[in-house]
Amino acid sequence: MSILLMTASAALMMISAQTAALDGAISPEVRALHERVLTLDTHVDIGRNYATYVLDPGQMTSAQVDLPKMRAGGLDAAFFIIYTGQGPLDADGLAQARAHAEASYQAIDRMIRSYPDQIALARTADEIEAIHATGRKVALIGIENPYPLGLSVDDVPMWAARGVRYISMTHFGNNQFGGSSNPNLAAGDEPEDPGLTDLGRELVRALNDYGIMVDVSHGGPLTMRQAAELSRAPIIASHSGVKAVLDHPRNLSDEQLEIIRDVNGVAQMVALRSYVKANHPELASAQEAVLAEMGLETREARAAITDQQRFALTTRMEALHAQYGSATISDFVDHIDHAVQVAGIDHVGIASDFDGGGGIGGWMNAAETPAVTAELVRRGYSEVDIAKIWGGNLMRVLREVEVAARD
Ligand SMILES: [Zn+2]
């Protein structure tokens, strides 16, 4: 039977079967260790229609993260992300950005309110532990790109009250707060990072005041350094790799890792293929051929994709990644190893970027999370080290940020 003819539920069963097969490869000792440590993923995007009847996180869905997958994979906590792509700074652009951020927040809030017996919002490190102790999953909220804040930082207290605990300085393209690691030259950005703007400096101070972690992932090198210098609390890179393993603008140099170490911050290594390992030169054209064959070449067609098509597409893309030797868990843990070598075991963590482009061979959804722990064990990390990498370090930073916040 063609994969295209499979029903969504058949595809779901196939995914569950794959997950079960993979789980079988994890030794009981590793699984037990994985269950003992608190696992916190600092970057989970929410797809279109998240927490609606179309995509109900209480069910096994086509998303990489939902409650059944978190349970299956022993993923205890995740930052769910309010992401807004960079647009123009005019009234229209800002109004759209604000509406988009509001809709994303509402989706996360709907998930939490729909399943109070399964997941709860944490606003502090203590709450992360308290919720975890009740056996429920922990939801945290991060904002990727503060573009929706507009031309002031007046909304920071509102987002803080809603539970947002990190905000990045930028996304792709410079914004009103600072320079991006990936300036948008077509939109007129200079190639050199201009650094934090006056409003960007105000933002860092406001985040400090309201107990929100300053996130430098996606930030340009100068913006990143200035944010680290200005912040009176440790900073984080919520989802980045290291340049020493793959020289990519989104990845951190050794100097940046040292800055993060020196301010007692944490760099969360990201499991996004093209930041982990260079893609095979023929992969892109092979992917385009599959999209064309499935009638999904246009953005519009992809926006209207059905669950069934999505499963078929995912399966075919995974086959291509395997064929062309794309990034796997082992490649991903190379980034962790290097970050630990340079910054130290107290300054490294993990982010999937699931449902935002993340996923690597062996860790393609939350259900496969024990495989990451298995690779860390294989590399010789102790349980204490693994607990730090899986969330302990991030929680230490969050506590310091709470203390540094104004009374
Ligand atoms: Zn990102």
Side-chain angles (χ1 to χ4, degrees):
M1 183 175 73
S2 155
I3 183 85
L4 287 165
L5 296 174
M6 285 176 73
T7 63
S9 63
L12 277 170
M13 282 166 63
M14 194 183 77
I15 298 243
S16 316
Q18 283 171 347
T19 300
L22 185 119
D23 206 40
I26 306 289
S27 74
E29 292 76 18
V30 167
R31 182 76 205 199
L33 185 156
H34 182 76
E35 293 302 327
R36 284 194 300 272
V37 302
L38 196 158
T39 51
L40 191 163
D41 176 344
T42 48
H43 206 84
V44 171
D45 278 290
I46 54 167
R48 272 165 57 89
N49 300 319
Y50 197 78
T52 67
Y53 70 94
V54 179
L55 209 158
D56 174 358
Q59 310 295 322
M60 191 64 109
T61 65
S62 59
Q64 288 169 294
V65 180
D66 50 39
L67 290 163
K69 289 195 190 78
M70 287 181 81
R71 274 197 297 278
L75 177 62
D76 300 318
F79 272 87
F80 292 89
I81 302 304
I82 298 171
Y83 156 72
T84 313
Q86 188 59 42
L89 291 174
D90 55 26
D92 237 29
L94 289 171
Q96 279 184 36
R98 187 180 287 255
H100 185 81
E102 181 63 25
S104 299
Y105 167 74
Q106 293 298 339
I108 297 166
D109 187 52
R110 256 193 325 273
M111 167 180 69
I112 295 164
R113 283 187 290 112
S114 301
Y115 297 100
D117 52 334
Q118 296 182 46
I119 190 163
L121 178 70
R123 294 154 190 274
T124 63
D126 282 352
E127 284 182 11
I128 297 174
E129 287 176 342
I131 294 164
H132 179 57
T134 67
R136 285 175 298 171
K137 298 301 175 192
V138 182
L140 297 118
I141 306 177
I143 288 183
E144 180 170 33
N145 198 4
Y147 168 47
L149 294 179
L151 302 175
S152 80
V153 297
D154 294 351
D155 284 348
V156 169
M158 179 272 286
W159 287 114
R162 285 172 152 192
V164 168
R165 285 300 174 263
Y166 78 69
I167 298 185
S168 75
M169 296 290 104
T170 52
H171 190 253
F172 291 125
N174 299 349
N175 64 12
Q176 65 270 46
F177 301 100
S180 168
S181 58
N182 300 69
N184 186 347
L185 304 180
D189 292 352
E190 294 293 331
E192 280 292 299
D193 174 12
L196 286 174
T197 63
D198 288 343
L199 190 60
R201 289 174 209 281
E202 264 186 66
L203 178 62
V204 171
R205 283 190 284 266
L207 298 186
N208 286 166
D209 287 347
Y210 288 93
I212 297 176
M213 296 184 289
V214 172
D215 173 22
V216 296
S217 280
H218 285 287
L222 183 59
T223 296
M224 181 271 177
R225 186 152 45 83
Q226 291 176 336
E229 281 166 6
L230 184 61
S231 177
R232 61 173 196 266
I235 60 162
I236 67 166
S238 68
H239 62 304
S240 291
V242 297
K243 277 191 165 65
V245 178
L246 181 67
D247 191 4
H248 188 287
R250 276 283 286 106
N251 288 344
L252 301 164
S253 66
D254 285 1
E255 189 195 342
Q256 289 179 309
L257 288 169
E258 285 162 1
I259 291 173
I260 288 173
R261 174 199 65 200
D262 291 347
V263 299
N264 209 19
V266 61
Q268 304 284 117
M269 295 297 106
V270 67
L272 192 145
R273 276 193 174 107
S274 51
Y275 307 156
V276 171
K277 184 184 175 188
N279 285 327
H280 191 285
E282 284 160 29
L283 176 67
S285 56
Q287 286 174 322
E288 277 163 29
V290 167
L291 288 172
E293 206 180 300
M294 294 182 66
L296 294 169
E297 324 81 314
T298 64
R299 256 179 102 144
E300 293 71 31
R302 288 197 294 277
I305 195 168
T306 63
D307 251 15
Q308 204 170 326
Q309 280 178 311
R310 191 191 307 278
F311 279 115
L313 180 63
T314 304
T315 305
R316 295 195 59 179
M317 289 300 176
E318 284 316 297
L320 286 182
H321 283 300
Q323 184 185 340
Y324 288 102
S326 296
T328 63
I329 285 188
S330 172
D331 301 310
F332 171 58
V333 177
D334 288 347
H335 287 255
I336 294 179
D337 279 351
H338 183 81
V340 167
Q341 230 169 48
V342 174
I345 190 71
D346 293 322
H347 305 285
V348 182
I350 293 175
S352 65
D353 214 345
F354 282 150
D355 297 312
I360 44 175
W363 191 33
M364 275 310 292
N365 61 62
E368 297 181 335
T369 305
V372 178
T373 302
E375 182 62 16
L376 292 170
V377 170
R378 205 182 69 75
R379 303 256 176 140
Y381 288 97
S382 68
E383 179 164 346
V384 170
D385 291 347
I386 292 171
K388 286 179 177 182
I389 293 172
W390 256 133
N393 291 335
L394 191 285
M395 288 180 19
R396 180 200 73 237
V397 170
L398 183 54
R399 284 201 164 92
E400 288 195 35
V401 169
E402 290 164 15
V403 169
R406 78 177 177 197
D407 297 327

